[in-house]
Amino acid sequence: MRSDITTKGLERATHRALYYSMGILPEELDKPLVAIVNPQNETMPGHVHLDIIAKAVREGVLAAGGTPIEFGTIGLCDGIAQGNYGMHYPLASRELICDSVECMVNGHSYDAMVIVTECDKITPGMLMAAARLNIPTIVVSGGPMSTGWYAGKEVGYTDLMEAQGLVQRGEMTMDQLSEFEQGALPGCGACNIMGTANTMNYMTEALGMCLPGSSVMAVSGRRIALAKRTGMKIMELYRKNIRPRDVLTMNAFWNAFVVDMAIGGSTNTMLHLPAIANEAGLKIDMAMITEISSLTPNIVRIKPSGRHFPADLDHAGGIAAVMKQLSDAGLLRDSLTMTGEPVSANLADARVLDPTVIRPMDDPYTRFGGLALVYGNLAPDGGVCKAAGVLPEMLQHKGPARVFNQEEDGVKAIYNGEINKGDIVVIRYEGPKGGPGMREMLAPTAAIIGMGLGDSVALITDGRFSGASRGAAIGHVSPEAAAGGTIGLVAEGDIIAIDIPGGTVTLEVDDAELARRKAAWTRPPSKAQPGSYLDRYSRIVTSAMTGAVFARD
């Protein structure tokens, strides 16, 4: 056993004594030591209940003959950090989470690992650590939040965000908003939308890194049972020596992107899946994603892209049912999963229970995937759009640029009525380096929708979006402004043409003028405090289109 290095032999008397001081029995040290990584905290609904999940995992590990040892990591809530200085930190925290798990597992030589996780950057950071450490590992998430309720209607996080625009326009009172706030998010779990949190839970199942059941609700007894089975399964994986890199193959990432396109997942998967692949020693070719998007119909639309909620997807058969349809259509590749079985075996009994939620393959929302990559002189290395959340009339759009060098200025202009129909809002210096930390632009996208401009105004940014964002919004524009990208050269009033189906975004300024602007350009001073984590992060983080991973040279 890997843990023998800390528990066996004459020279390990003090090591054993440290375990005994915590109540661990000598015979327990003869069993595999299974790390349970539990980021439970009181900072967000996705994590507040994870002790219950971790307890069930512990019971499963004990029942199957292992010795569970639990430790935690940090976990930031994107929602609480949203729209303020705090939003510089969530993406940057992904690398900290990965590093902290590496430190604990390698520092203590654990034999296997169960990852209990939830939410936007925590799940990707944990999966990155699993790939890096490559010891037997399985994941269980905290599950999606139940659907909210306000004024006799089902509501969720996105509806609440957009209600702020209704107040600004005088169509809702502050008292009504207060009532809305108290009913939109009814309890624990990942926010009740197809945000990054739920998307990454679903991607974990698509990758094969968890037992089927990623869509089971947070408050369900089925969620606790799933956690218990996960604790039992890790012992089987340990005995068979099935490790993350056996599962995280290129076939697994192909499957994840297929599912991502089918469900119209968060654009943040374009950051996280390549970063996880990077830790597994793989490189995602963006051409593969474009190919997958062209092959995969969008058959699920959860808020904010559609009218359904995560609970509806669970009732309709969950991600396994989605994957079953995709597999039957020949879009998935068979590969090993952390059930110990291939994808095909996991899907044998899956079926769609509600075709209004999971549409048939011959009756999709669109014939192409829910996410789209765009390229052009404005984004030579690419940009990302949640095509499933774009109104048909905005899939192609041309208009004058309204340029802002930070999110707050753009949001203020939108709410002050300074943005006109037809405009294209450009928010820059918000990329991985320039932010630093690549803030989410949920506030400006929600402002555009809330101010009634969703059918006439587009947004382009080198920042990123929340899964709650919708509208004609292109993010991850690379190279970013702080790296000298073309987006940093855009001037007020420049004409920009967007063609999402065609995969292009073009700044209609001639090359000579762009060269003149480039010669005069200087990078603004960093917004990060010298010596801070954000300062160090900005110096070594790479482009959004490489997953915003740390440079290895």
Side-chain angles (χ1 to χ4, degrees), residues 24-25 40 61 198 201 215 241 321 326 346 350 367 374 391 405 417 426 462 472 478 490 533-534:
I24 290 179
L25 302 173
Q40 189 275 340
V61 171
N198 280 318
N201 288 343
S215 48
N241 195 29
L326 296 170
N346 296 343
R367 298 288 175 185
V374 296
L391 292 172
N405 287 344
V426 176
D462 53 8
S478 300
V490 180
Y533 175 64
L534 285 179

Side-chain angles (χ1 to χ4, degrees), residues 184-441:
L185 305 175
C188 64
C191 290
N192 46 21
I193 53 171
M194 186 64 82
T196 309
N198 280 318
T199 301
M200 285 309 303
N201 288 343
Y202 303 152
M203 292 300 96
T204 302
E205 183 170 343
L207 286 168
M209 285 297 294
C210 66
L211 298 180
S214 60
S215 48
V216 172
M217 305 307 290
V219 297
S220 170
R222 293 162 55 218
R223 173 60 54 182
I224 298 172
L226 181 67
K228 195 175 295 184
R229 290 194 182 280
T230 299
M232 297 169 71
K233 179 60 69 172
I234 190 59
M235 298 310 301
E236 176 188 332
L237 298 172
Y238 169 75
R239 294 180 183 112
K240 292 180 177 179
N241 195 29
I242 297 175
R243 296 178 293 171
R245 294 193 188 187
D246 299 324
V247 169
L248 293 173
T249 62
M250 194 56 75
N251 281 348
F253 285 98
W254 172 279
N255 290 345
F257 280 115
V258 168
V259 174
D260 200 12
M261 295 300 171
I263 65 175
S266 166
T267 53
N268 283 315
T269 55
M270 297 299 166
L271 291 168
H272 300 320
L273 291 176
I276 297 163
N278 181 63
E279 293 293 347
L282 303 172
K283 181 178 175 60
I284 300 297
D285 183 352
M286 290 297 165
M288 180 184 83
I289 298 173
T290 299
E291 178 187 1
I292 290 171
S293 181
S294 69
L295 295 172
T296 309
N298 177 212
I299 57 174
V300 173
R301 287 197 175 176
I302 305 296
K303 289 270 187 173
S305 298
R307 62 184 178 86
H308 299 295
F309 292 87
D312 299 317
L313 179 58
D314 182 32
H315 300 156
I319 289 299
V322 174
M323 292 180 69
K324 175 65 172 174
Q325 282 200 171
L326 296 170
S327 179
D328 289 346
L331 290 172
L332 296 186
R333 297 175 175 177
D334 217 13
S335 59
L336 182 66
T337 72
M338 283 300 173
T339 65
E341 301 289 340
V343 173
S344 56
N346 296 343
L347 303 180
D349 297 327
R351 60 192 179 97
V352 174
L353 303 176
D354 186 344
T356 67
V357 177
I358 304 173
R359 285 195 175 188
M361 299 295 285
D362 60 0
D363 184 29
Y365 288 100
T366 59
R367 298 288 175 185
F368 52 86
L371 298 178
L373 298 181
V374 296
Y375 295 88
N377 67 339
L378 186 55
D381 293 342
V384 181
C385 176
K386 190 171 185 174
V390 182
L391 292 172
E393 59 265 37
M394 291 298 291
L395 289 169
Q396 294 175 312
H397 181 71
K398 181 185 288 192
R402 305 297 306 278
V403 183
F404 305 93
N405 287 344
Q406 63 177 6
E407 176 191 7
E408 289 85 352
D409 294 342
V411 173
K412 182 178 178 181
I414 296 166
Y415 279 130
N416 284 348
E418 298 169 20
I419 303 302
N420 303 311
K421 290 185 175 182
D423 286 348
I424 296 179
V425 176
V426 176
I427 299 179
R428 62 193 182 188
Y429 295 105
E430 292 285 8
K433 288 182 179 295
M438 202 178 182
R439 291 195 290 177
E440 288 183 347
M441 300 293 115

Side-chain angles (χ1 to χ4, degrees), residues 46-70:
H47 283 214
V48 72
H49 67 306
L50 292 187
D51 275 353
I52 298 171
I53 305 300
K55 178 177 180 290
V57 171
R58 174 182 292 272
E59 291 171 355
V61 171
L62 288 168
T67 297
I69 299 177
E70 187 176 325

Side-chain angles (χ1 to χ4, degrees), residues 161-171 391 393-394 414-415 417 419-422 444-458 470-471:
M161 279 293 300
E162 295 171 2
Q164 297 172 50
L166 298 179
V167 174
Q168 190 76 14
R169 291 156 59 189
E171 297 178 22
L391 292 172
E393 59 265 37
M394 291 298 291
I414 296 166
Y415 279 130
I419 303 302
N420 303 311
K421 290 185 175 182
T445 56
I448 288 170
I449 299 297
M451 293 296 286
L453 299 171
D455 61 351
S456 61
V457 170
R470 65 185 176 103

Side-chain angles (χ1 to χ4, degrees), residues 26-40:
E27 53 266 38
E28 289 181 292
L29 294 184
D30 292 329
K31 300 175 181 179
L33 302 186
V34 179
I36 300 177
V37 189
N38 175 17
Q40 189 275 340

